[in-house]
Amino acid sequence: KTTEIKIPPLKKLTNYPEKLAPGHRLCAGCGASIIVRQMYMVANALGYELIWANATGCLEVCTSIYPYTSWKSPWIHSAFENAAATIYGIEAAYKALKRKGKLPTDKKVKFIALGGDGGTYDIGFQALSGALERGHNFIYVCYDNEAYMNTGIQRSSATPKYAHTTTQPVGSESSGKPQHKKWLP
C-alpha cells in the first residue's frame, strides 16, 4: 500500500518559522546547518514536530554554547557514542506518556539522532545497531566527513584508504590509512 504525500509549493515552505536560530557559530555554508534546516522544512511541510538527540561534534558545539542555544525545538546533547541510545530512550518515553494519556495522541512527531562518522561508524555503532535490531522508529543522520574532525582530524573507520589524517600521516614512514573505508549501510 502506498501513501501519497502532498508537499506544498516551495514558496509556502519558506514561510515557516526558522527553527535553527541564526547566530550560531557554524562556518558559513556548513553542510550540517543546511541539513538541519532542510529537515525542518520537510517536517513543517508534512506537519511533524522534530525531537533531536545530537552527539558531541561540531554541530552540537557550535549551536549550544552555554548559556545560548540555536535550537527552537526539543533538543538534547548526548555523549559522543550514544545519540542512538538517547533518541530511542526519548522515543520510548514519548510512547509511554502517550499511552498514559499525558501527551496528545494527534500530534505527529519524528525523532532524529545526529552523529558524526566517528560517533556512528566507530564508538556509537553498538547503540545504533541495537536500536535498529529492536525496531525503534527514528531517523539517524550521520554527518560523514571521513575523520574525527572535532578532535583534530583523527582517522575513523569512515576515513578512506590511503587518506592523510593526523593519526595516519602520509610520507616516507606511512602511506596513510591502510584499511578501506567501512561500508556502513
Side-chain angles (χ1 to χ4, degrees), residues 58-161:
C58 291
L59 180 64
E60 173 270 324
V61 170
C62 294
T63 60
S64 63
I65 296 175
Y66 182 80
Y68 306 104
T69 182
S70 296
W71 299 87
K72 293 184 176 181
S73 61
W75 176 90
I76 186 169
H77 167 222
S78 66
F80 204 32
E81 70 280 358
N82 69 349
T86 301
I87 204 65
Y88 71 68
I90 294 167
E91 178 223 12
Y94 185 85
K95 285 180 177 178
L97 290 170
K98 276 180 83 169
R99 277 193 309 273
K100 293 178 180 181
K102 295 184 178 189
L103 290 174
T105 57
D106 61 340
K107 194 171 187 177
K108 292 170 36 176
V109 176
K110 284 287 179 195
F111 302 90
I112 314 288
L114 301 162
D117 54 275
T120 304
Y121 281 73
D122 297 336
I123 63 177
F125 190 72
Q126 179 181 3
L128 177 57
S129 176
L132 295 173
E133 186 268 331
R134 287 187 297 278
H136 287 282
N137 186 11
F138 65 95
I139 297 168
Y140 192 96
V141 178
C142 173
Y143 189 65
D144 180 8
N145 49 22
E146 301 184 329
Y148 288 81
M149 296 300 181
N150 199 41
T151 57
I153 312 173
Q154 298 162 331
R155 71 158 312 279
S156 76
S157 60
T159 304
K161 188 171 185 170

Side-chain angles (χ1 to χ4, degrees), residues 162-174:
Y162 304 125
H164 175 147
T165 66
T166 55
T167 54
Q168 291 289 165
V170 174
S172 60
E173 300 294 322
S174 170

